[in-house]
């Protein structure tokens, strides 16, 4: 193995800097993110938009740079040394992700362009056998990525889509989802954590009930994997999807976890090189999972970066990350509740580190623009969750979302900026 390859080899447990029994060392974390150490409009940057996309630590950037500079080559097909090294690191990243979410085997990890493609893959491939009158169960708080693929399938196959409601505080009740499961339900597709409200959905209870009825469950884990320990076997999910760019990894890479028996019973999603066992003009045959779903040259370096991101989170300890973000959520909820004319949307008892809110007489985009001038990056809009906005009679909200690198001081910076908005709009 080359020196460059050795530079991105996986750390051992002894090399890890984190410990779940110790609080997260936030200043040490922040030192890993050069982008955070800058000023905007003469104010220190407070990046509170990680639910949209997280920043990348130096370790991820260095792992990807080492691949490009030291051993880049196409994977799987080459007999030369660089191809072998590149393949080892690419497949090593698959093994890392399998461990990261406790998949039963690496072959249950399919690399995709992101969670959106992963859901489209399941809808197009697993859903290929769905017939008119079959049903898909969703919730009212889905991201568009877990709505539109099922609508496309509905329009082709004549499906019915059943929608579980959400309470006024943003809670999704398991019994409401379970009540929609019937003899024609072919799949239940739900979020683990809502990107618009922060609501944690009772996935285990829903999965248990679905499996008792012989119904598989797909879980959108985009907002859970970066913020809490996830064990797909313990959750019981049949499919689980997430994106790399929200968990400190690069864009253009994501993961579909699927039960091995299900994946190998599914037809290919795309055709081309790499996914085939044999090709003739008369007939082609397919490899087993995961390669049957990875047609063409994959996102090699991005997968290596994703593996580095998973190692990075494990180094600090995901329990420690979760505890730190819970403290940020509690503090932000306290500080924002003090502001006159501000209403938090989504106050479920079990929440991720997301605070969505509206301000009296101030449009969300105006709030976002004013706060930006105070150096605070937040999101304003419908958050790719228009049905959620409609449920609460809104067109948009302002959303602050937290990550392992955020501080209580940045929450204060946000609160101060929002006080200024309140003074402007009254």
């Amino acid at each position: 193995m080359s020196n460059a390859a050795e530079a991105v080899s996986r750390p051992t447990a002894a090399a890890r800097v984190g410990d779940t029994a110790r609080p997260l060392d936030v200043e040490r974390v922040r030192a890993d993110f050069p982008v955070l150490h800058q000023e905007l409009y003469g104010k220190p940057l407070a990046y509170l938009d990680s639910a949209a996309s997280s920043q990348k630590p130096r370790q991820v950037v260095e792992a990807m740079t080492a691949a490009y500079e030291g051993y880049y080559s196409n994977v799987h097909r080459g007999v030369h040394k660089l191809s072998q090294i590149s393949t080892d690191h690419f497949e090593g990243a698959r093994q890392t992700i399998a461990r990261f979410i406790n998949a039963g085997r690496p072959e249950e990890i399919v690399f995709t362009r992101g969670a959106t493609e992963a859901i489209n893959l399941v809808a197009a491939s697993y859903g290929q056998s769905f017939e008119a009158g079959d049903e898909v169960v969703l919730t009212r708080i889905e991201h568009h990525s877990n709505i539109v693929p099922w609508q496309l399938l509905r329009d082709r196959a004549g499906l019915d889509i059943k929608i579980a409601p959400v309470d006024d505080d943003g809670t999704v009740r398991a019994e409401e989802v379970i009540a929609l499961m019937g003899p024609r339900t072919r799949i239940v597709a739900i979020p683990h954590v809502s990107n618009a409200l922060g609501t944690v959905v009772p996935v285990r209870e829903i999965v248990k009930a679905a499996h008792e009825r012989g119904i598989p469950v797909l879980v959108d884990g985009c907002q859970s994997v970066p913020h809490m320990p996830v064990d797909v076997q313990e959750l019981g999910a049949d499919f689980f999807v997430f994106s790399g760019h929200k968990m400190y990894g690069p864009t253009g890479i994501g993961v579909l976890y699927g039960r091995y028996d299900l994946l190998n019973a599914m037809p290919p999603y795309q055709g081309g090189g790499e996914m085939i066992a044999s090709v003739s003009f008369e007939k082609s045959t397919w490899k087993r999972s995961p390669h049957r779903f990875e047609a063409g040259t994959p996102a090699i370096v991005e997968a290596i970066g994703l593996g580095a991101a998973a190692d990075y989170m494990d180094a600090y300890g995901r329990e420690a990350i979760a505890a730190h973000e819970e403290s940020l959520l509690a503090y932000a909820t306290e500080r924002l509740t003090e502001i006159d004319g501000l209403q938090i949307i989504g106050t479920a008892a079990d929440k991720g580190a997301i605070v969505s809110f509206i301000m009296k007489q101030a449009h969300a985009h105006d709030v976002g623009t004013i706060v930006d001038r105070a150096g605070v990056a937040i999101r304003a809009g419908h958050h790719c969750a228009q049905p959620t906005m409609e449920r609460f009679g809104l067109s948009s909200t302002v959303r602050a979302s937290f990550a392992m690198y955020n501080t209580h001081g940045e929450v204060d910076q946000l609160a101060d900026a929002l006080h200024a908005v309140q003074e402007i709009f009254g």
Side-chain angles (χ1 to χ4, degrees):
M1 184 177 290
S2 69
N3 290 336
E6 290 172 356
V8 293
S9 61
R10 305 299 174 206
T12 63
R16 293 179 175 177
V17 302
D19 189 314
T20 58
R22 295 197 310 234
L24 186 70
D25 186 343
V26 182
E27 291 308 312
R28 186 169 185 179
V29 170
R30 289 179 64 82
D32 296 331
F33 292 84
V35 69
L36 299 178
H37 304 283
Q38 60 178 298
E39 290 188 347
L40 298 177
Y41 310 110
K43 307 287 186 180
L45 169 64
Y47 185 79
L48 305 180
D49 193 25
S50 293
S53 197
S54 63
Q55 297 296 339
K56 321 305 173 192
R58 183 179 287 108
Q59 290 85 340
V60 168
V61 176
E62 289 176 349
M64 296 176 70
T65 300
Y68 278 126
E69 292 185 347
Y71 61 89
Y72 175 78
S73 178
N74 212 329
V75 295
H76 299 136
R77 305 177 182 90
V79 297
H80 58 80
K81 186 65 173 177
L82 288 186
S83 180
Q84 293 170 20
I85 295 172
S86 190
T87 299
D88 286 347
H89 281 79
F90 178 75
E91 292 300 332
R94 194 188 309 276
Q95 294 170 6
T96 294
I97 297 302
R99 289 194 301 270
F100 188 70
I101 62 171
N102 195 32
R105 54 197 296 174
E107 293 85 358
E108 294 179 323
I109 301 300
V110 177
F111 286 129
T112 64
R113 288 181 299 150
T116 298
E117 184 180 47
I119 297 171
N120 275 274
L121 190 163
V122 175
S125 178
Y126 185 77
Q128 197 170 112
S129 64
F130 291 9
E131 299 177 347
D134 286 344
E135 298 170 352
V136 176
V137 174
L138 310 177
T139 74
R140 189 63 183 266
I141 61 171
E142 303 299 336
H143 188 282
H144 294 166
S145 295
N146 200 32
I147 299 175
V148 178
W150 304 111
Q151 290 176 330
L152 294 173
L153 183 59
R154 175 199 63 193
D155 295 344
R156 290 197 303 271
L159 306 180
D160 292 327
I161 297 177
K162 304 294 186 181
I163 309 299
V166 57
D167 289 353
D168 289 344
D169 67 353
T171 298
V172 172
R173 300 187 182 277
E175 58 267 26
E176 298 278 9
V177 181
I178 295 167
L180 296 177
M181 300 179 193
R184 297 297 301 272
T185 303
R186 297 297 303 275
I187 195 168
V188 175
I190 55 177
H192 199 175
V193 177
S194 164
N195 77 300
L197 305 176
T199 300
V200 178
V201 175
V203 169
R204 293 170 185 82
E205 189 176 348
I206 293 169
V207 168
K208 181 175 183 294
H211 286 178
E212 289 171 353
R213 294 160 174 80
I215 302 167
V217 180
L218 179 147
V219 178
D220 173 0
C222 283
Q223 300 297 339
S224 62
V225 166
H227 306 291
M228 63 181 71
V230 169
D231 183 331
V232 291
Q233 295 189 71
E234 190 269 334
L235 281 177
D238 301 280
F239 302 104
F240 190 95
V241 306
F242 58 98
S243 294
H245 71 96
K246 297 181 190 293
M247 58 167 280
Y248 313 107
T251 56
I253 189 74
V255 170
L256 165 64
Y257 157 82
R259 282 188 9 234
Y260 193 58
D261 59 329
L262 286 178
L263 291 175
N264 285 303
M266 290 162 53
Y269 172 56
Q270 295 179 321
E274 181 57 31
M275 49 76 67
I276 52 88
S278 65
V279 173
S280 71
F281 282 111
E282 291 70 37
K283 180 182 179 180
S284 296
T285 58
W286 327 124
K287 290 181 179 177
R288 295 180 68 78
S289 177
H291 300 298
R292 71 165 54 192
F293 300 111
E294 295 179 358
T297 296
I300 299 166
V301 177
E302 288 79 4
I304 291 168
L306 181 61
D311 281 338
Y312 180 81
M313 289 182 64
D314 273 342
Y316 282 101
R318 279 179 279 171
E319 291 87 353
I321 293 170
H324 172 65
E325 292 180 1
E326 286 171 10
S327 73
L328 289 170
L329 174 64
Y331 185 61
T333 302
E334 177 185 347
R335 287 300 319 272
L336 270 57
T337 302
E338 299 170 349
I339 300 172
D340 290 339
L342 186 149
Q343 178 187 352
I344 294 176
I345 307 298
T347 56
D350 195 2
K351 280 189 61 173
I354 289 172
V355 181
S356 283
F357 58 92
I358 57 175
M359 295 191 73
K360 184 179 179 181
Q361 299 178 346
H363 191 280
H365 291 141
D366 291 330
V367 176
T369 300
I370 295 169
V371 168
D372 175 58
R373 291 289 175 168
V376 182
I378 55 177
R379 178 87 18 176
H382 55 64
H383 318 298
C384 293
Q386 286 178 301
T388 306
M389 297 296 109
E390 292 170 3
R391 162 63 180 82
F392 292 95
L394 303 168
S395 63
S396 58
T397 66
V398 184
R399 184 186 68 190
S401 53
F402 305 103
M404 63 187 293
Y405 42 62
N406 291 127
T407 67
H408 288 67
E410 290 177 321
V411 174
D412 290 332
Q413 189 175 344
L414 169 64
D416 291 344
L418 293 173
H419 276 294
V421 174
Q422 193 273 337
E423 290 175 3
I424 293 171
F425 288 94

